Amino acid sequence: MAVLAVLCLVWLGLTARLPLVFAAETGSPLQISEIAVQGNQRIEVEAIYNYIDLKIGDQFSQERVDSSLKSLFRSQLFADAQMSFDRGVLTVKVKENPIVYRLYFEGNKKLDSARLRDEIQLRESTVYTKTKVQSDTTRLLEIYRRAGRYDARVEPKIVPRAQNRVDVVFEITEGAATGIGGIRFIGNNRFEADELRRIILTRETRWWRFLSTEDNYDPDRINIDREYLRRYYLKNGFADFRVVSATAELSPDRRYFYLTFTVEEGERYRVGKVNLTSQIKKIQPSELEGEIKTIEGDWYDNSLIDSSIAVMTNLLGNRGYAFATIEPKITKNSQYYTLDIDYTIKETPKSYIEKINILGNVRTLDSVIRREFRLAEGDAFNTTRVNRSEQRVRNLGFFSAAEVTSAPGSTPDRSILNTRVQEQGTGQVNFGAGYSSADGLLGQVSLGERNLLGRGYAVNISATVAQLRQNYDISFTDPYFMNRPLSATIQLFNTLTNSQAASQYSQETKGGSVGFGFSYSERLSQSVRYSYRLDDIRNVQPTASSFIQEQAGKTTTSLVGHDISFDYLDNSYEPSNGFYASYGNDVSGLGGDIHTVRTRFRSTVFYSPASQWIGSLHGEIGNIYGTGHQAVRIGDRYFLGGDNLRGFASGGAGPRDACTGDALGGNRYWSGTAELQLPIGVPEEFGMSGRVFSDFGAAYGVNYSSRAIIIPGCKGPEDIQSTTFTRVSYGTGMTWKSPFGPIRLDFAWPIRQEKFDRTEVFRISFGSRF
């Protein structure tokens, strides 16, 4: 049988070569007189001709046949292709690859189908090939491994359909996340393993990290960990440090990786001689030497070199040297373990802004970005202003990324500022649910757009419904009204407050306002506003204080006010250092029923004595009085307690009806808080911090005279209990930045109070957006 098979193969080979042999013997050329294509369904004959290296009239060539077949297969349009030649006719038989009709993912729960679909080659209505399926299967496994799931399985299934179409189904078994069973270090003599574990990003798997992915194995994160270790050792003087290897061993059950970092620490170095030279004639080294942070005799810290160069470069940029470079040269003395550092300021001309380019914005108008710049074309280059301009563009909130870089201009003394932005969605639909001690259970919904029509207009519609408060609000803001650095805001509102527990009444307030805001400088700003509102004090209980009962009914308020603020905070949302203060006045009486004057001042100072420790001191004071012998209505007074004086119930500290116990509020108040936020010893990924605090303040001054009125249920005449006595409380609390929103828990105890005050030891606030 073997001999017969060999003879058959020889016969087939001779038969295939027979036309060429015949042509060689006879010497007559074999020309192609016709090309016939068979088996194609979707692909036009002319398209197939483009892949064939033979045309009618050409001489038949086996080499060109082989080349044509390779070209057909490379197109990925055909599952099979054959070519034969007989009596001048070249026959091309093809079998087309099917078309992908539907693409499905089954079994994926941790990674959604949209993300997986974006990562693979196959698409619906494209050509199906086995190569693409194999490549996509490998890619999906890689994605799951990067997500920490090394036990994942992906099996492609092909479901044939009519008209040479197929459905492709990737059946996925995700498996359990592959965690980090342990992290160990070899060669570390100067630092304990626990300390090095805190430096790197990867964490060992623990039960409390169920909301984090830092304890999942990720090769890219391991490379970052190597760099973090290098920076840490360089920061502490180990100039010769290197990570020899970082290995990961998978456990037999494929549930955990065990990481091993092998390091060589080397010797620890101190800073030797420090020198600064300048190649710019107008810049003397003595002008910048005070900014050098590397001090002779200190332990070497590589990060101080970078920060010294950054500070000096900024100062040079403020002098107009946009492209000034400072090169550090480090000379190692292995005998004394010192490092000499020579800083050299390279020669460069003074620079002026030639042009400002805006790149990457599709929806947002150029003018919206340009108006945030603190310098213009033709100005001298100034690094501080460039950085401030970049920060202002980022603060718009319209872009996921914004960067301002400088490039050489048409001449050495000209520079071009390139502003590259990447737009992001600016529309918001927020739903909230939560609980607070002040308002009870609450729900919230808001619709907003921060960049309407790409012009920077902001519009917001919100509604909050709680057990003790309802608020509906709509506002529109033009940050550059009439193309000037002047913001204009229009607002309509409706608020219903239930004060039955504290004062046995409810109040509805509805109206509108228009305001304008402008800045005197980067830190100093002012706003003015006009507001018109209708107040309705209603649902006053028969047992309520007569001081409240006589105010039941509707009043209108026409108000003009202003606020001026000083903002020197390092961060507007989560400050840790800096100072903020605001002062404002409101005058009511330009129409309407209410005639009052209100003054208020508030200020906060933040200071961070150490990492994750933030101290703050906050104070505020307010005063309101009626003009024309008019009494201040209860809805306009100040109430102390709750959020502004922990340890006391809402409205629990301040003037009160001696008979009914109703809180009446005060015409004057002041309050303060001294607080220290500090870590509580749990892993950082928990997002938890603790605090200790002391609150203090007083509310007083009700412009009612004492009354000798006997009302049902009272043992004596009705009167007002009001003193200037300072209330003081102290306490401790915790904040958890949970995935569902921030949760604040506070425990506070009064240490100075009046007998008629109402206290509250525990207070909780909870918010959620999803």
Side-chain angles (χ1 to χ4, degrees):
M1 291 298 290
V3 175
L4 181 59
V6 172
L7 292 175
C8 290
L9 291 174
V10 172
W11 171 253
L12 290 174
L14 291 174
T15 303
R17 295 288 180 175
L18 187 58
L20 294 179
V21 174
F22 176 76
E25 290 179 350
T26 60
S28 59
L30 295 178
Q31 289 188 337
I32 299 174
S33 60
E34 180 183 352
I35 298 178
V37 178
Q38 301 175 1
N40 58 312
Q41 298 178 4
R42 302 183 313 274
I43 304 172
E44 298 293 335
V45 172
E46 288 74 11
I48 297 176
Y49 285 163
N50 293 331
Y51 295 105
I52 299 175
D53 194 22
L54 290 166
K55 310 298 181 186
I56 295 177
D58 290 349
Q59 185 175 351
F60 179 83
S61 167
Q62 187 64 41
E63 291 180 359
R64 296 173 71 180
V65 167
D66 294 341
S67 175
S68 300
L69 288 173
K70 291 178 181 178
S71 180
L72 289 168
F73 281 114
R74 276 197 303 268
S75 71
Q76 296 188 347
L77 297 174
F78 309 101
D80 191 18
Q82 297 177 359
M83 298 177 67
S84 61
F85 181 74
D86 184 26
R87 298 179 183 180
V89 178
L90 179 64
T91 303
V92 182
K93 294 182 179 179
V94 296
K95 180 180 180 182
E96 295 177 351
N97 274 322
I99 294 294
V100 178
Y101 182 64
R102 290 287 184 269
L103 184 63
Y104 299 100
F105 299 91
E106 294 182 355
N108 56 307
K109 297 179 180 178
K110 299 298 181 181
L111 301 180
D112 59 72
S113 297
R115 175 184 173 184
L116 298 179
R117 194 182 298 270
D118 291 340
E119 295 286 347
I120 63 176
Q121 301 179 55
L122 280 176
R123 295 288 185 272
E124 294 173 352
S125 301
T126 60
V127 176
Y128 162 87
T129 66
K130 293 182 179 179
T131 303
K132 287 183 180 179
V133 172
Q134 293 171 353
S135 175
D136 287 346
T137 301
T138 303
R139 176 60 180 162
L140 292 173
L141 287 172
E142 180 183 350
I143 293 170
Y144 270 98
R145 287 174 179 173
R146 289 188 179 277
R149 295 182 178 273
Y150 274 74
D151 198 29
R153 300 287 185 271
V154 179
E155 184 177 355
K157 298 289 186 181
I158 311 303
V159 181
R161 283 183 168 269
Q163 300 178 353
N164 199 25
R165 298 178 299 174
V166 295
D167 290 344
V168 180
V169 182
F170 289 100
E171 294 184 353
I172 300 172
T173 304
E174 294 181 320
T178 308
I180 303 298
I183 303 174
R184 67 170 183 161
F185 298 87
I186 297 176
N188 57 308
N189 300 316
R190 302 298 185 104
F191 299 104
E192 296 293 335
D194 286 342
E195 184 173 355
L196 297 180
R197 290 189 189 100
R198 289 192 294 269
I199 298 303
I200 63 178
L201 294 179
T202 305
R203 296 287 183 261
E204 293 180 343
T205 299
R206 297 292 184 268
W207 66 267
W208 61 78
R209 296 193 172 109
F210 63 94
L211 294 175
S212 171
T213 60
E214 293 177 345
D215 60 339
N216 294 340
Y217 176 71
D218 185 345
D220 292 337
R221 191 187 294 131
I222 302 301
N223 291 330
I224 297 175
D225 290 340
R226 295 170 66 112
E227 178 62 18
Y228 274 35
L229 288 171
R230 188 186 73 86
R231 292 182 184 179
Y232 184 71
Y233 271 90
L234 286 177
K235 180 179 176 63
N236 286 278
F238 295 90
D240 297 328
F241 172 82
R242 71 187 186 98
V243 178
V244 178
S245 65
T247 60
E249 183 180 355
L250 185 61
S251 63
D253 59 4
R254 303 178 67 87
R255 292 186 58 192
Y256 298 103
F257 273 100
Y258 292 88
L259 305 183
T260 302
F261 292 91
T262 303
V263 301
E264 286 184 1
E265 294 179 327
E267 295 295 332
R268 194 179 188 188
Y269 289 79
R270 292 185 180 273
V271 177
K273 296 180 180 179
V274 180
N275 186 45
L276 173 65
T277 58
S278 174
Q279 297 177 356
I280 302 176
K281 295 180 180 180
K282 294 184 178 181
I283 301 296
Q284 298 300 319
S286 58
E287 300 178 53
L288 300 176
E289 286 176 344
E291 306 300 333
I292 297 177
K293 304 180 186 301
T294 49
I295 308 299
E296 184 176 350
D298 289 353
W299 289 113
Y300 171 75
D301 183 347
N302 185 66
S303 65
L304 293 181
I305 295 179
D306 295 335
S307 61
S308 299
I309 292 175
V311 172
M312 290 189 289
T313 301
N314 283 339
L315 292 176
L316 291 171
N318 292 339
R319 298 276 295 272
Y321 297 97
F323 304 105
T325 57
I326 302 175
E327 294 183 358
K329 181 181 178 181
I330 300 175
T331 304
K332 184 183 298 183
N333 187 330
S334 300
Q335 181 179 359
Y336 298 103
Y337 300 114
T338 60
L339 297 172
D340 297 335
I341 305 173
D342 291 315
Y343 297 93
T344 302
I345 303 173
K346 296 294 184 179
E347 185 175 6
T348 183
K350 207 167 186 178
S351 183
Y352 297 86
I353 306 299
E354 178 179 354
K355 190 176 182 181
I356 299 176
N357 294 324
I358 309 296
L359 308 170
N361 57 313
V362 177
R363 179 166 171 257
T364 306
L365 301 181
D366 279 7
S367 59
V368 173
I369 301 174
R370 288 183 182 276
R371 67 195 185 192
E372 299 300 327
F373 273 77
R374 301 297 93 183
L375 35 66
E377 293 165 347
D379 290 350
F381 189 93
N382 186 292
T383 300
T384 299
R385 292 187 178 183
V386 171
N387 293 339
R388 179 57 179 165
S389 300
E390 180 181 271
Q391 183 183 20
R392 288 177 63 90
V393 173
R394 289 178 178 174
N395 289 345
L396 289 173
F398 304 161
F399 312 108
S400 59
E403 182 181 20
V404 179
T405 58
S406 59
S410 57
T411 59
D413 64 343
R414 295 288 183 267
S415 60
I416 297 174
L417 295 182
N418 292 315
T419 305
R420 298 183 181 275
V421 298
Q422 183 175 343
E423 291 185 315
Q424 64 181 0
T426 53
Q428 288 182 312
V429 179
N430 292 328
F431 298 91
Y435 172 83
S436 74
S437 300
D439 301 318
L441 293 174
L442 61 89
Q444 182 186 56
V445 60
S446 66
L447 304 172
E449 170 57 58
R450 293 174 288 128
N451 189 17
L452 186 66
L453 305 177
R455 298 179 178 271
Y457 300 149
V459 61
N460 187 75
I461 303 173
S462 65
T464 301
V465 179
Q467 289 178 300
L468 304 179
R469 180 173 59 92
Q470 296 180 23
N471 182 72
Y472 306 94
D473 185 282
I474 180 172
S475 65
F476 173 83
T477 300
D478 180 357
Y480 275 77
F481 183 60
M482 299 181 67
N483 293 322
R484 297 179 180 274
L486 175 70
S487 66
T489 300
I490 299 176
Q491 182 182 26
L492 298 175
F493 52 84
N494 189 329
T495 302
L496 178 62
T497 305
N498 184 342
S499 299
Q500 296 291 335
S503 304
Q504 301 190 72
Y505 77 96
S506 299
Q507 178 173 338
E508 182 181 18
T509 300
K510 54 187 176 182
S513 67
V514 58
F516 300 92
F518 48 93
S519 298
Y520 296 106
S521 66
E522 292 295 329
R523 301 295 186 179
L524 178 62
S525 61
Q526 187 173 15
S527 63
V528 296
R529 63 189 172 279
Y530 171 77
S531 178
Y532 186 86
R533 73 174 194 261
L534 172 66
D535 295 306
D536 183 10
I537 295 178
R538 60 195 187 192
N539 298 331
V540 180
Q541 301 301 315
T543 57
S545 168
S546 63
F547 301 112
I548 298 175
Q549 292 189 36
E550 70 175 15
Q551 296 193 24
K554 299 180 179 180
T555 57
T556 58
T557 300
S558 177
L559 177 150
V560 175
H562 85 100
D563 284 293
I564 185 167
S565 62
F566 305 84
D567 187 348
Y568 288 88
L569 298 176
D570 61 341
N571 186 300
S572 298
Y573 300 100
E574 294 184 352
S576 59
N577 277 289
F579 167 78
Y580 176 86
S582 68
Y583 170 81
N585 300 102
D586 293 328
V587 178
S588 304
L590 303 177
D593 306 319
I594 303 301
H595 301 273
T596 59
V597 176
R598 182 191 299 272
T599 302
R600 61 191 169 278
F601 174 80
R602 58 172 60 95
S603 177
T604 307
V605 178
F606 292 91
Y607 173 68
S608 180
S611 177
Q612 298 182 2
W613 291 67
I614 301 174
S616 63
L617 183 62
H618 172 79
E620 56 185 79
I621 186 171
N623 177 49
I624 185 172
Y625 62 90
T627 59
H629 305 288
Q630 185 181 64
V632 178
R633 293 175 62 80
I634 190 170
D636 293 328
R637 297 198 197 113
Y638 299 104
F639 288 84
L640 198 61
D643 290 331
N644 61 3
L645 187 63
R646 288 164 289 188
F648 294 82
S650 298
R656 188 175 301 279
D657 189 308
C659 174
T660 65
D662 293 331
L664 301 177
N667 292 358
R668 292 177 292 278
Y669 92 106
W670 68 272
S671 68
T673 295
E675 183 171 292
L676 178 63
Q677 178 180 310
L678 68 164
I680 56 178
V682 300
E684 292 184 24
E685 59 263 33
F686 269 42
M688 291 183 177
S689 62
R691 60 181 166 273
V692 292
F693 60 85
S694 176
D695 291 349
F696 38 89
Y700 51 91
V702 181
N703 53 346
Y704 287 117
S705 60
S706 299
R707 301 181 179 188
I709 301 175
I710 304 297
I711 64 174
C714 290
K715 297 181 180 180
E718 188 178 28
D719 200 358
I720 296 175
Q721 297 170 308
S722 177
T723 68
T724 59
F725 183 78
T726 299
R727 279 75 159 179
V728 181
S729 67
Y730 74 96
T732 183
M734 183 187 73
T735 297
W736 177 32
K737 296 178 182 178
S738 76
F740 314 104
I743 298 177
R744 292 174 55 94
L745 304 175
D746 286 308
F747 294 88
W749 298 268
I751 55 177
R752 279 175 60 89
Q753 67 182 94
E754 289 281 19
K755 294 181 179 180
F756 54 83
D757 290 338
R758 296 183 180 179
T759 61
E760 177 186 77
V761 173
F762 176 67
R763 192 164 188 83
I764 179 174
S765 62
F766 169 79
S768 175
R769 289 182 181 272
F770 48 88

